[in-house]
């Protein structure tokens, strides 16, 4: 990264690497390292001291906190042009899943609102030492230039969570007694869907419109 980028801001929680990195990166001066837990950083505040045109996030994420970190990218609207991350293959397939597939779920819908997502390459577990118990994959997330109007992200987020609460149930059974099903049905029918469908069949932009209509 230091060879490719004008400047690199690094986050590392493991201070045991201080001595190693100071030696390994001795020939470079185009970086800063923040020795802290990325999940608890105010990244936008960290960025204020730098002048930049474009931001790219590149990471090999710890698999057990992949979802919290990806959620942080979204909820804090970190202004990245592109995000390239290596994550567990199963999670990568979920994040990049096309609508209508069994992997398509709540996190897919939320990310699809902000990003175009594609899986770039699979990485065999044998590429690592010691060998983990899972395969990996690299995905690329490109932030969309034009987002659909969304009245409330919090409401949209809750609607999507409720819609996927029980994946084997229909959207009607997941939302009944929580939302006005007449409004939900009207929006679904506009796009050729109905309440008897499972949520995995419904594109993200339909959820956006349902959320907006429910708030009117």
């Amino acid at each position: 990264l230091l060879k490719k980028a004008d400047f690199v801001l690094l986050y590392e929680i493991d201070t045991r690497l201080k001595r190693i990195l100071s030696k390994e990166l001795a020939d470079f001066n185009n970086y800063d390292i923040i020795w802290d837990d990325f999940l608890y950083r105010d990244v936008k505040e960290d960025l204020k001291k730098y002048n930049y045109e474009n931001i790219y996030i590149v990471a090999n994420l710890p698999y057990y906190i992949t979802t919290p970190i990806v959620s942080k990218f979204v909820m804090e609207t970190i202004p990245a042009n592109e995000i390239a991350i290596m994550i567990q293959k199963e999670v990568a397939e979920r994040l990049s899943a096309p609508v209508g597939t069994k992997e398509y779920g709540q996190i897919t819908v939320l990310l699809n609102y902000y990003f175009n997502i594609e899986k770039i390459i699979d990485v065999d577990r044998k590429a690592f030492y010691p060998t983990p118990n899972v395969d990996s994959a690299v995905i690329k997330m490109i932030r969309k230039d034009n987002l659909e109007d969304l009245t409330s992200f919090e409401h949209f987020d809750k609607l999507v969570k409720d819609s996927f609460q029980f994946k084997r149930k229909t959207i009607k059974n997941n939302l009944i007694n929580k939302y006005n099903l007449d409004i939900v049905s009207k929006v679904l029918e506009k796009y050729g869907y109905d309440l008897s469908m499972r949520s995995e069949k419904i594109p993200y932009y339909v959820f956006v419109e349902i959320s907006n209509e429910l708030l009117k």
Side-chain angles (χ1 to χ4, degrees):
L1 289 175
L2 294 178
K3 292 177 180 178
K4 296 284 187 182
D6 291 335
F7 193 87
V8 181
L9 177 61
L10 304 163
Y11 290 87
E12 178 55 61
I13 194 173
D14 191 348
T15 55
R16 293 174 299 175
L17 290 173
K18 279 187 176 181
R19 182 178 58 82
I20 297 169
L21 286 181
S22 65
K23 180 180 177 182
E24 292 289 331
L25 307 181
D27 293 336
F28 298 93
N29 60 8
N30 60 329
Y31 71 93
D32 280 340
I33 301 180
I34 293 177
W35 298 95
D36 199 359
D37 186 339
F38 179 77
L39 280 174
Y40 294 102
R41 297 297 304 189
D42 183 336
V43 179
K44 287 206 256 189
E45 188 65 31
D46 291 338
L47 291 170
K48 284 182 178 178
K49 63 183 285 191
Y50 304 100
N51 294 316
Y52 56 85
E53 290 184 12
N54 299 298
I55 292 180
Y56 301 90
I57 296 176
V58 182
N60 176 14
L61 296 183
Y63 292 169
Y64 68 100
I65 53 170
T66 293
T67 299
I69 288 182
V70 171
S71 297
K72 182 180 177 75
F73 297 156
V74 173
M75 301 304 290
E76 297 186 11
T77 58
I78 298 170
N81 300 65
E82 294 185 24
I83 299 171
I85 50 176
M86 180 156 63
I87 56 180
Q88 186 175 331
K89 183 179 179 182
E90 179 183 326
V91 178
E93 290 173 345
R94 195 157 69 239
L95 299 190
S96 60
V99 63
T101 60
K102 65 179 182 178
E103 291 83 9
Y104 182 85
Q106 170 197 334
I107 188 69
T108 325
V109 172
L110 296 178
L111 289 178
N112 276 194
Y113 175 71
Y114 286 103
F115 301 99
N116 292 312
I117 306 170
E118 62 176 308
K119 189 170 73 166
I120 302 300
I121 190 172
D122 291 330
V123 184
D124 192 278
R125 65 188 70 185
K126 295 186 181 68
F128 301 94
Y129 180 83
T131 305
N133 295 322
V134 296
D135 293 315
S136 302
V138 177
I139 64 168
K140 180 167 68 172
M141 302 163 58
I142 302 176
R143 187 172 288 277
K144 296 176 178 176
D145 292 328
N146 299 304
L147 301 178
E148 288 88 351
D149 289 334
L150 184 58
T151 306
S152 166
F153 181 82
E154 291 73 20
H155 185 269
F156 172 62
D157 184 30
K158 184 177 185 305
L159 170 69
V160 174
K161 284 178 181 175
D162 289 339
S163 299
F164 284 90
Q165 184 176 6
F166 302 103
K167 285 208 70 174
R168 296 186 65 82
K169 286 189 174 183
T170 64
I171 190 169
K172 176 181 179 179
N173 288 337
N174 274 323
L175 300 185
I176 198 167
N177 299 325
K178 298 177 184 176
Y179 299 89
N180 185 326
L181 289 185
D182 289 338
I183 294 175
V184 176
S185 177
K186 186 176 180 181
V187 176
L188 287 173
E189 288 174 4
K190 174 180 172 181
Y191 292 95
Y193 305 107
D194 60 61
L195 289 170
S196 68
M197 306 190 79
R198 291 180 181 171
S199 297
E200 66 195 36
K201 302 289 186 184
I202 301 168
Y204 81 91
Y205 53 83
V206 178
F207 285 106
V208 170
E209 187 163 334
I210 291 172
S211 176
N212 290 345
E213 289 299 315
L214 285 168
L215 287 175
K216 282 185 177 178

